[in-house]
Amino acid sequence: MSTWGQLNLQEGMSTIMELMNYFHDYMMTFIVLILSFVTYMFAFVIISPRLDKYTVDSHILETVWTVIPMLILLFMAFPSLYLLYLMEDVSNPSLMVKVVGHQWYWEYQYSNSWFNYSFDSYMVYEKSDSPLYHALDVDNRLVLPTNANILFLITSADVLHSWAIPTLGIKADAVPGRLNYLSTMTPYSGVYYGQCSEICGSNHSFMPIVLEFVPMSNYLDYVSNLSVSE
Amino acid sequence: MASPDLIIKAVNETTNNKDLSRYDENVCSDIQRKLDSKLKEQELSIPEKALFARNNFAVMNKWEQIFPSGITECLREYFRSRALWAPKFDPRFPNINQAKNCFVNYVDYHRCIKLKGEDYKDCDYFKQVATSMCPNQWLEKFDEQIQDDAFPVDF
């Protein structure tokens, strides 16, 4: 989750998000270098008395300042396209979870071959001295297994919503009539937070998402108990 | 389904006194193929196969007492990957919107049971895919439309 004074992206908990963080850092190097160089040249041209006012053309200079940006762009393009196609790579999922957006809560439906369970996830309204995170914790978390490809199928029952988990690098619009898919896999157990990312009415800021990743054996026990308790 | 006998038989038929204290990819893939073929002979449905794997995964400590460590690692991997079932990627629907995928499988299930009868086992595949993919609200709406004779597809 985001914390006070956070300027950077959240730590990547899925492979794709880790790669996106590396890509972001890599691109930021180029951006800062280019910005510094351009700012320096700009200042030099304005301030320096030693500027040659009588240069009218230079073929060598024009060639150099075409080829170098071309090389920079090539170095930027290859990792960008590689990551873009890797994000769209299809994998056979282990588990499908349906996510239905409502005003103003999320409904999760697990329908596997041997268990079928659905529940609503409302934000918890707590007093300020509560140990729960403000506007982020929910009453029923979505429990999922680690080291398993999970496919989320996202739709809405009323207006547009958007289901996003920044730390896993996933986001998809919940559109009524559409069933958008998102795929993720994380090897790390933990609790990951997200918030509705498409304006959907008065309580748009108060319908958070909480995922709880646990090892597969714990997840199978949890799901078996759900089926028993129904 | 006598799962302990099935697993012990599959392992014995494959291993033939090899060194089993370490995980061996080739031995493991042979065991998994043998288990798959034995399960296929039993003609279990999709939920039954997943439950078989889930129940065996839950008692891995029992298998650890019987089999050497190389085999238990292999069995753990096998049961873990099969305890949950989800439909594979369908190349007819490569795009982000899977609404058509849900609808087509629902329609195919009803077409299958109309053609082959409700007891035909293979129709269950379409039902499993439709139940996994379609939100419950959509399934309820489709069922209501069929009851009211208002479903847009004629089976």
Side-chain angles (χ1 to χ4, degrees), chain A residues 29-215:
Chain A
T29 321
F30 281 109
I31 291 166
V32 167
L33 284 171
I34 292 167
L35 181 68
S36 315
F37 180 68
V38 169
T39 311
Y40 168 73
M41 292 306 294
F42 193 71
F44 178 80
V45 160
I46 291 170
I47 296 163
S48 173
R50 279 174 283 279
L51 191 66
D52 180 0
K53 292 181 284 188
Y54 303 105
T55 304
V56 289
D57 67 356
S58 167
H59 292 294
I60 298 171
L61 182 62
E62 291 199 6
T63 311
V64 165
W65 75 28
T66 306
V67 170
I68 290 179
M70 188 189 81
L71 289 171
I72 291 172
L73 284 173
L74 272 172
F75 275 107
M76 284 163 57
F78 279 111
S80 174
L81 288 171
Y82 174 79
L83 187 56
L84 186 67
Y85 279 85
L86 196 66
M87 280 164 61
E88 301 300 321
D89 195 20
V90 292
S91 57
N92 286 318
S94 303
L95 178 66
M96 277 191 177
V97 181
K98 288 161 282 184
V99 178
V100 184
H102 296 263
Q103 279 178 313
W104 291 278
Y105 63 97
W106 294 99
E107 181 192 349
Y108 300 110
Q109 300 169 2
Y110 297 118
S111 296
N112 198 272
S113 50
W114 51 275
F115 62 91
N116 195 330
Y117 186 69
S118 73
F119 61 94
D120 299 335
S121 180
Y122 282 86
M123 187 188 84
V124 173
Y125 288 92
E126 289 280 305
K127 292 182 192 168
S128 55
D129 57 350
S130 158
L132 299 175
Y133 291 119
H134 169 66
L136 272 183
D137 264 308
V138 296
D139 53 1
N140 301 312
R141 294 172 175 173
L142 179 59
V143 180
L144 295 165
T146 54
N147 284 314
N149 274 321
I150 300 162
L151 196 84
F152 296 101
L153 292 158
I154 295 151
T155 186
S156 167
D158 36 40
V159 298
L160 292 182
H161 300 271
S162 185
W163 198 81
I165 309 283
T167 195
L168 296 175
I170 52 176
K171 182 185 284 186
D173 279 356
V175 182
R178 274 181 78 98
L179 200 56
N180 292 331
Y181 89 83
L182 274 177
S183 181
T184 191
M185 196 279 282
T186 178
Y188 306 112
S189 302
V191 181
Y192 308 137
Y193 294 89
Q195 293 174 288
C196 179
S197 304
E198 184 70 38
I199 187 84
C200 52
S202 57
N203 280 1
H204 156 69
S205 315
F206 306 115
M207 47 184 293
I209 301 142
V210 184
L211 303 189
E212 187 175 332
F213 279 90
V214 296

Side-chain angles (χ1 to χ4, degrees), chain B residues 38-96:
Chain B
K38 286 201 182 295
L39 279 172
K40 206 173 177 181
E41 283 166 24
Q42 297 216 338
E43 290 184 353
L44 298 171
S45 66
I46 293 170
E48 283 167 349
K49 273 190 227 166
L51 264 170
F52 168 80
R54 184 263 176 280
N55 292 333
N56 280 296
F57 186 73
V59 296
M60 274 315 298
N61 49 356
K62 193 169 91 182
W63 301 127
E64 276 162 17
Q65 289 164 16
I66 304 173
F67 295 114
S69 50
I71 300 291
T72 48
E73 211 40 60
C74 180
L75 287 176
R76 183 181 288 115
E77 199 185 291
Y78 179 80
F79 294 132
R80 190 186 188 282
S81 61
R82 282 157 180 76
L84 297 172
W85 181 87
K88 284 189 178 168
F89 169 69
D90 191 339
R92 297 176 297 171
F93 310 99
N95 297 321
I96 296 282

Side-chain angles (χ1 to χ4, degrees), chain B residues 122-151:
Chain B
D122 292 340
C123 294
D124 190 50
Y125 174 78
F126 299 116
K127 187 180 179 192
Q128 290 294 333
V129 178
T131 325
S132 293
M133 297 213 83
C134 302
N136 296 343
Q137 294 91 333
W138 291 18
L139 288 171
E140 282 163 16
K141 191 178 86 177
F142 295 156
D143 290 338
E144 264 175 40
Q145 284 179 336
I146 288 174
Q147 274 175 5
D148 298 339
D149 209 21
F151 195 68

